[in-house]
Amino acid sequence: MPGTQAAFRAITPDLAVWLDMLVDQRSRKEIASTAGLAESTLRDRLVRLENVTGAADQRELVRWWRENRVPWVRWLIERLPQVWSPPAEMD
């Protein structure tokens, strides 16, 4: 299976929401409509993520996300100081 770090880097916050919707057994049509995307665009993005995670199909991708959602959030939080710093307090 490809590296977990590469997969984590490929997951955007929007994609995480779509993955959560897949876990909730929402259809790709419903997810695409909610996201304001063409169903084909959503399908292409999910297929790319399947390739990065090593998932053979959408069902395996859902299983991968169930196992890696919390580790992804932890990974993301660890990197927040690198990409974001709180605004300085105003006097």
Side-chain angles (χ1 to χ4, degrees), residues 2-12 15 49 52-54 64 72 75:
T4 303
Q5 295 294 318
F8 285 179
R9 283 191 299 273
I11 299 171
T12 64
L15 191 49
L49 190 56
V52 173
T53 62
W64 183 90
W72 175 76
W75 177 88

Side-chain angles (χ1 to χ4, degrees), residues 1 4 8 11 63-73:
M1 180 177 283
T4 303
F8 285 179
I11 299 171
R63 187 177 312 125
W64 183 90
W65 184 238
R66 283 184 179 134
E67 294 171 1
N68 288 283
R69 178 181 1 201
V70 171
W72 175 76
V73 170

Side-chain angles (χ1 to χ4, degrees), residues 8 11 13 70-81 83:
F8 285 179
I11 299 171
V70 171
W72 175 76
V73 170
R74 289 182 181 140
W75 177 88
L76 191 64
I77 289 169
E78 289 172 2
R79 278 142 189 82
L80 279 177
V83 297

Side-chain angles (χ1 to χ4, degrees), residues 3-48:
T4 303
Q5 295 294 318
F8 285 179
R9 283 191 299 273
I11 299 171
T12 64
D14 282 342
L15 191 49
V17 170
W18 304 339
L19 288 167
D20 284 340
M21 292 175 80
L22 284 174
V23 167
D24 292 340
Q25 300 181 344
R26 304 270 184 87
S27 70
R28 281 195 290 202
K29 184 176 184 176
E30 184 179 358
I31 297 167
S33 176
T34 300
L37 299 171
E39 191 175 349
S40 61
T41 301
L42 176 67
R43 184 188 61 241
D44 291 346
R45 291 183 185 178
L46 292 174
V47 166
R48 277 188 257 144

